[in-house]
Amino acid sequence: MNPELKHIAIIMDGNGRWAEKRGLPRIEGHRKGVEVIRDIVAKSSEKKLVSLTLYSFSTENWRRPLGEVQALLRLFEESIDRYGPELKEKGVKVIFVGRREGLPENLVARMAQLEEETTHNTGLKLNIALNYGGRDEILRAFQKWFAVYRGDFEFLREEIFSRFLDTAGQPDPDLVIRTGGEQRLSNFLLWQTAYAELWFTPTLWPDFTPEEFEVAISDFSRRKRKFGGIR
């Protein structure tokens, strides 16, 4: 029996390298990458996935050159304005995961507006990880847990703690795809990916196609997931 696939998480790596290979500013690689996102979201909806999580900007990405960071933040705003109405129309529910403190006020306002406008959509849940770090998420989740249970460790159990994660109420990722040739999680969904299958490709994100997405899914379907058991 093929394993059930409900949630795919993607580390979209290689935008900058794609642009540099073509003699373009790095931001052009990120801009091309947004177009790829549109195709993969459409394919995920077609596949009837419950959730798709995209690693868009990590807590470590602030270390990049200031000009690139500022250009990326502007691109996020532009992309919400451009593609938000389409996501709403197609029934996608958008959820931004990560820390909002430190992001520009205009961007945070757009994020909140898109979440509100799609909150009642019943299609694909699109988690956009923005200013996100897996360790940071776990720390924030513990702070939320502590505020509720006041350190009563009788209630510090996996099923309770997971309610305070950014992805609360969603299935954990079944498959993590990373483009760009690297083979690591890079602080992405550390709690949720405990039993995820991993799939790596040298393809740079702007060159990633729905057809290669299908290849990853096909490979996943042939894997045997045992979750610590023997069958």
Side-chain angles (χ1 to χ4, degrees), residues 103-115:
L103 293 173
E105 290 183 6
N106 288 342
L107 175 56
V108 172
R110 282 176 166 84
M111 292 161 60
Q113 181 179 354
L114 183 55
E115 286 182 324

Side-chain angles (χ1 to χ4, degrees), residues 173-187:
D174 303 292
L175 173 64
V176 175
I177 296 171
R178 178 164 188 157
T179 63
E182 303 292 349
Q183 298 187 9
R184 57 177 179 269
L185 287 176
S186 295
N187 200 19

